[in-house]
Amino acid sequence: MATPERLRIVGGAVHDPANNVDGEVRDVCIEDGRIVANLPSGAPTLDVPGMIVMPGGVDIHAHFASSSCNHARRLLPEEHLADRAPAPTLLDGARAARSGTGGTVPTTFTTGYRYAGLGYTTAFDAAVAPLMARHTHEELDDTPVVDAGCFVLLGNDEYLHRQINAGEIERARHYVAWMLGATGAYAVKIVNPGGIEAWKSGQRNLTDLDQALTGTRVTPRAILETLTNAANRLRLPHPVHIHCNNLGQAGNSATTIATMQALTGRRAHFTHLQFHCYGGETGKGWGSAAKTVIEHVNAHAEHTVDVGQVMFGPATTLTADGPVEYLLYSTSGRKWVNIDVELETGCGIVPYAYKEKAAVATLQWAIGLELFLLARDPWRVVLSTDHPNGGSFLSYPALIRLLMDRSARDDQLKRANLKLLSGSALADGLEREYTLNEIAIVTRAGPARILGLKQKGHLGVGADADLTIYARDADVAQMFSSPRFVLKSGQVVVEEGQLRRAPQGRRLYVRPPFDETVLRDVRRHFDAYGTVAFDNYAVRDVPGSPAALQS
Ligand SMILES: [Zn+2]
């Protein structure tokens, strides 16, 4: 089938929660890559009788296009051998297909193909060091199909810390705006605020919101407030995206709640919450604190989260949070990469596997599910595995089955190590089963809304014609892993379950205005400390045009 500019999709059950459509059989009309209200009779049709029609998936938080991903690929030659990815057979006239490798950190082209094959049409790389942004854009150029963007790491940025220390909060905001434009990023990311810089410079990791970097007034709290306010004042479509201090530590739920309390009343997104919901105490055992944390989230409409579910199986942990990876390396004995990105951030990588017979892995798995199942508002608690940290994005369908089918959860629990699950809400029995509409919310409509993507995650008039169409299957994991059709900007990219086209996606980024006089001072900082000259720093030629700021 050729892809016409007009297409009427006929006979599907539409799940479009943003427009209050819950499984109604209705036509969806597409013209020039957008959803339209109607088409003249005689327009080409795609008949999908009884199938499930949803907007394309939107991945709010994954790692797939960055210099750190590339380090991970180099670290994992065994995965290349085990998961060879031949070039797909695309239709004549399609962009040349490329082979690659898969595993937990697939190569660029394979990433695009696999996202498309899963019905995901938008994705964000959640952690890009400013200095490495050019590399990310080059990888995104080679990641077909998905509309994509990145979040830029600013929570351990030395220039930003200097401004906070000097009380120059406005200058900090202008710097943030410049940095977003200079790196072609979509949002501001904070990872372990202040802690990476402390660890890099020989101080120990920061564990308390009010602990200062040596000799300064710079605390995690000050960094969080400065960047949250900056993102909100700049009217970024997505608020600040926060990976809290103390990731992975027993008892870290106290830090997580303190961080949320510090930002009460301010729009903020807390990422991979599962990794921040542990009870117990360091050295004295672990437990689930999911209930306490999600109750706090439930009560604060200004805050949104993604879960960061752990799935049993192989993973690659990969984060700017260098000290966490050092700990994981020390306890796992696995190979390890540790990188300093001058003046800006760190990076650590350790391959990992979550085993169902391991007590901590089971606890992590259970906590993620507790967050999902105790969340009152699915629009604010959305799906992620922090790919590839908690598991590959290819495990989303298995996660969807766990959410939709209590017996699947119970079966898994029977095989798992329950040692740390006393007091866990999941082990005590959670009956909730997600509906298809709730799945559409946590995988598409919710992430799109949190990201401020007005044309994504829904099928109303004017929306981008990104759609995923599933043939019903009693096995929902099977159904969600192999959509029958996927459309990207109105083009049929997956046809009868086969990837047939792989067009270039659009780049998603912002370029907020700022006071250019601050650049004199930024330039002085580069001249004094940077190895890259200020004039060579900004990424040029980011394709397309910047996204609109919030009105
Ligand atoms: Zn992440």
Side-chain angles (χ1 to χ4, degrees), residues 314-354:
T316 294
T317 66
L318 155 67
T319 171
D321 203 339
V324 164
E325 295 291 5
Y326 171 68
L327 276 181
L328 200 56
Y329 150 73
S330 312
T331 52
S332 72
R334 302 285 297 257
K335 49 191 174 180
W336 170 48
V337 169
N338 180 51
I339 295 162
D340 167 32
V341 183
E342 61 173 40
L343 305 172
E344 293 182 349
T345 185
C347 167
I349 306 165
V350 177
Y352 201 69
Y354 299 96

Side-chain angles (χ1 to χ4, degrees), residues 331-462:
T331 52
S332 72
R334 302 285 297 257
K335 49 191 174 180
W336 170 48
V337 169
N338 180 51
I339 295 162
D340 167 32
V341 183
E342 61 173 40
L343 305 172
E344 293 182 349
T345 185
C347 167
I349 306 165
V350 177
Y352 201 69
Y354 299 96
K355 298 193 174 117
E356 61 186 12
K357 292 300 171 205
V360 171
T362 302
L363 176 70
Q364 293 178 304
W365 176 86
I367 287 174
L369 292 175
E370 288 170 7
L371 293 173
F372 276 115
L373 297 169
L374 296 170
R376 228 183 292 141
D377 181 3
W379 290 95
R380 294 194 292 113
V381 181
V382 300
L383 186 143
S384 70
T385 61
D386 191 12
H387 161 89
N389 283 284
S392 161
F393 62 74
L394 293 177
S395 65
Y396 295 170
L399 172 54
I400 289 170
R401 172 166 51 200
L402 293 170
L403 297 177
M404 292 188 73
D405 179 357
R406 182 183 175 178
S407 67
R409 302 196 291 265
D410 290 346
D411 287 349
Q412 177 61 67
L413 268 175
K414 278 181 208 142
R415 296 192 302 272
N417 181 332
L418 306 183
K419 200 174 133 202
L420 296 174
L421 290 200
S422 71
S424 143
L426 188 76
D428 292 347
L430 287 172
E431 285 181 11
R432 181 172 178 184
E433 294 183 330
Y434 271 52
T435 62
L436 274 176
N437 245 37
E438 286 175 318
I439 295 299
I441 294 170
V442 299
T443 55
R444 303 133 147 87
R449 184 176 287 182
I450 294 169
L451 287 159
L453 294 167
K454 293 197 164 51
Q455 284 164 234
K456 304 284 186 195
H458 74 98
L459 300 175
V461 170

